[in-house]
Amino acid sequence: MKSAIFAALIASAAAFAPASQQATSSALNAFSSELGAQAPLGFFDPLGLVADGDQAKFDRLRYVEIKHGRICMLGVVGYLVQEAGIRLPGDIDYSGTSFASIPNGFAAFKAIPTGGLIQLLLFVGLLESSVMIDSANGAEPGEFPGDFRNGAIDFGWDTFSEETKLKKRAIELNQGRAAQMGMLALMVHEQLGVSLIPSP
């Protein structure tokens, strides 16, 4: 596991490699007014993933960024809640393995019964294929990439002004970016053996 984290850190070093100035300037012009191009960095694409100015590619990457941000926001909260010792009551299987006996973090994968892991994978697969889809994946077109309402859930979104909607989407995008970095930090700390919760 440490080697996987080390490889991820080495791969992230590519973000600091200089990009072609000409390709970057065309993408900068194409996407400088998009949501997420915020101070202090503005539009930031160090790997030149959308240097060609392709709007469809940009929308797909934005959808993936929002989805991973949402997953990491849930993951950070779950990680910290478990690290604080809060568990579901009862047993995880019929043999009497309690939720409280399952360790935190990566060690949980070895302790959760195989049937439980299969159920988790099937549930995530169901969400990916049937629930958490947007127009990039064949659903009815939403207002923006990452719009998973699919005509079923609203929670008052349509009552907001366009300015408020844009502000809320920007907040979610930035919090998702922070959560992705936070999730990486939590995983690295766990592998290094550093306590995640400060002792009193």
Side-chain angles (χ1 to χ4, degrees):
M1 186 53 63
K2 290 180 184 178
S3 60
I5 291 173
F6 180 72
L9 291 174
I10 293 297
S12 68
F16 298 101
S20 168
Q21 196 67 0
Q22 184 177 10
T24 303
S25 64
S26 66
L28 183 61
N29 293 335
F31 302 116
S32 62
S33 62
E34 289 285 341
L35 178 72
Q38 299 164 337
L41 295 177
F43 177 69
F44 186 65
D45 182 21
L47 297 178
L49 296 175
V50 289
D52 57 359
D54 184 359
Q55 184 68 42
K57 187 191 302 183
F58 178 84
D59 288 345
R60 174 67 183 153
L61 291 172
R62 175 54 48 89
Y63 160 78
V64 171
E65 179 183 18
I66 290 171
K67 182 172 79 168
H68 288 139
R70 289 172 179 169
I71 291 167
C72 286
M73 284 188 265
L74 290 171
V76 166
V77 171
Y79 219 107
L80 295 176
V81 165
Q82 287 186 2
E83 196 66 29
I86 301 170
R87 297 285 198 280
L88 292 171
D91 297 333
I92 195 170
D93 62 8
Y94 292 122
S95 64
T97 307
S98 67
F99 284 106
S101 67
I102 303 294
N104 300 336
F106 291 110
F109 289 113
K110 295 178 183 172
I112 295 175
T114 305
L117 289 175
I118 291 170
Q119 288 176 25
L120 283 172
L121 288 173
L122 290 175
F123 180 66
V124 169
L126 174 72
L127 290 176
E128 282 287 321
S129 64
S130 303
V131 180
M132 306 304 265
I133 55 175
D134 73 349
S135 58
N137 296 318
E140 290 295 318
E143 281 186 48
F144 51 88
D147 182 3
F148 294 148
R149 293 177 296 154
N150 297 320
I153 301 172
D154 187 74
F155 297 122
W157 179 257
D158 290 332
T159 63
F160 296 135
S161 68
E162 291 302 315
E163 181 181 337
T164 302
K165 287 180 182 180
L166 193 62
K167 181 179 177 184
K168 289 185 178 291
R169 288 178 52 215
I171 290 169
E172 179 191 28
L173 188 61
N174 281 331
Q175 289 176 344
R177 290 170 175 171
Q180 289 176 65
M181 297 306 295
M183 194 73 226
L184 177 63
L186 289 171
M187 293 188 302
V188 168
H189 274 76
E190 179 187 339
Q191 292 302 306
L192 292 175
V194 177
S195 175
L196 302 176
I197 305 292
S199 44

